Structures are given as C-alpha cells and as structure tokens.
Amino acid sequence: MITIGQVADYAGVTIKAVRHYHERGLLDEAPRDPSGYRRYTAEHAVRLIKIKTLAEAGVPLARIKELLAANPDQFAAAATEIDRTLQERIEELRRTRERVAQLRTGDRLFVPSHVADFLERLRELGVSQRGVQIERDAWILVHSASPDQAAALVAQKRAVLADPEFRAIYLEFDTALEWSPHDPRLDPLADRLRRWMASLSATHGSGSVDAARHPVLDPFVARLIATSPPPSPSWQRLMELTGQ
C-alpha cells in the first residue's frame, strides 16, 4: 500500500494530476487507512501509467476511460479516429504558424503584395506611420470588395505620386494630420491642391481630374469609406476647403 505521492512519483505524474484523474472518473479513489490517508495499490499504479501513456499520445482525457475499457478492435478503431483528429490539429497548427510568420511581414498579412509594395513606397517617401496606416485600412476595404479594382487603383495612385508636385502636396497633407483645424497653413495647402487639379485638367483634360479626385469604387466600399470619420480635425477642415 503506497501514498498518493509515491504512486504519482512511480507513474511520473504530479499529485495534482492524480487528483484530477480522480475528478474525471479515470482513476478510482483509493480507500483510506485508519489514519485517514489514502493508500494506493499496484492496480492503481498500473492504471495511472496507462492513463499517462494515453494522454501523452494525444488522446483527449474525455476518450481515455472509453479506451481503457475497449476490446482490441474497438481500441484500434478509436486509435485511428484519434490519429485522424490529431492530423487535423497538426494541419491547423501548421496554418497558424504560417499566419504567425506572416505577422513578421507587417502589412502583407492584411493586403496583397502589390498594395504592400505601395505602402512600402509611401514609407520610402517619408509618409508617417499614421498616414501609412490610414492608407492601409482604406486598401483593406477596397481589396476585400474588389481585388481587381484595388490593383487598378493602386497603379493609378502610383502614377499620380510620380508627379513631384502632387507628391509634395501628399506629404504636406500627411504632416497636416497633426495640425490644428485652425492652423493658418491649411488654406494655402488647400489652394495648392486646387491649383494642381487645375493644372492636371489643363494638361490632360477633365477626365484625368475626375479619375484622380473621384476614382470609381465599389458602391459598398464607397459607403464604408464615406461613413468613416476623418482621421483628424485638420483633415476634416481640408476636406471642406477642397471639396474632396
């Protein structure tokens, strides 16, 4: 007759595990001796070792009692089923690892590579992290609704950013995120954007201006973007000044 600590040591588990197996009905509680201590037998030790072996093999505790009472054919069938479940879990873990690995790539977890490349280009140009995040969230919406449209719009925006004047305006808009809505620099910045639009219209026609100012979006995405609040009070003021 041995104590709970001794039977736990013999089977290679903790006392807490032995008590847990008692609670789950996997291991019968040992009778108490006259002093009130539970005394375990070799039968308890053998069953405890079986429970530990099955648990370490990946068998859920809920299935262990069934397997311990199964005949050889039932045991083999159950083992096959458990193995299939484990394979599914392994595949799920593999996919989870892939998603975790994608986290290291930052924006590429949320948007396709051509959008992520565009966001990286914005960083190279000096756009703030907040500005890049604003762009990224908008592209997530557009790409989720229409991947083909997102690709076309990214190409369009890359082309517009190739213009040095628009690029300078874009960077100043980014800086203006932190300005007060009463900042005196907002009016000149809005005027600068209007002049650029006017020059674009004079050079390429009104169609280019319309495309630059109002790209055709999926109606659902357009509504989502329209209902999003401006990222800052200063941008709200710029939108009012420019009519964007």
Side-chain angles (χ1 to χ4, degrees), residues 64-221:
I64 287 179
K65 189 173 184 178
E66 168 196 343
L67 290 182
L68 289 175
N71 62 40
D73 291 340
Q74 292 171 332
F75 191 97
T80 300
E81 179 186 347
I82 291 168
D83 180 64
R84 182 169 58 253
T85 301
L86 287 174
Q87 289 180 23
E88 293 172 354
R89 287 177 57 192
I90 290 170
E91 178 60 22
E92 182 180 348
L93 288 171
R94 184 191 64 77
R95 291 194 296 268
T96 300
R97 288 194 66 199
E98 290 179 352
R99 289 193 291 269
V100 170
Q102 287 180 318
L103 289 174
R104 302 190 186 102
T105 65
D107 296 325
R108 296 179 190 275
L109 178 64
F110 307 105
V111 294
S113 58
H114 61 274
V115 175
D117 290 342
F118 172 70
L119 297 176
E120 188 57 38
R121 175 59 179 155
L122 294 182
R123 293 189 181 92
E124 293 171 357
L125 292 175
V127 177
S128 67
Q129 183 60 27
R130 185 181 178 188
V132 172
Q133 288 175 348
I134 292 168
E135 283 272 1
R136 182 198 62 196
D137 290 349
W139 288 115
I140 289 173
L141 289 175
V142 175
H143 178 74
S144 65
S146 177
D148 292 339
Q149 186 180 46
L153 291 174
V154 167
Q156 181 188 84
K157 193 151 190 180
R158 274 186 175 276
V160 174
L161 278 170
D163 184 318
E165 174 62 8
F166 180 78
R167 190 162 59 244
I169 293 171
Y170 185 96
L171 291 173
E172 193 170 358
F173 261 75
D174 180 58
T175 303
L177 273 168
E178 308 300 332
W179 295 354
S180 161
H182 308 294
D183 193 298
R185 293 172 290 181
L186 292 176
D187 284 291
L189 177 56
D191 287 340
R192 188 178 183 184
L193 178 59
R194 283 194 294 265
R195 289 196 302 271
W196 180 81
M197 288 290 187
S199 68
L200 186 68
S201 177
T203 305
H204 301 289
S206 59
S208 297
V209 176
D210 291 339
R213 293 181 60 179
H214 306 294
V216 179
L217 294 173
D218 177 274
F220 175 71
V221 176

Side-chain angles (χ1 to χ4, degrees), residues 31-39:
R32 297 183 183 274
D33 65 12
S35 300
Y37 294 101
R38 293 194 182 279
R39 296 296 177 177

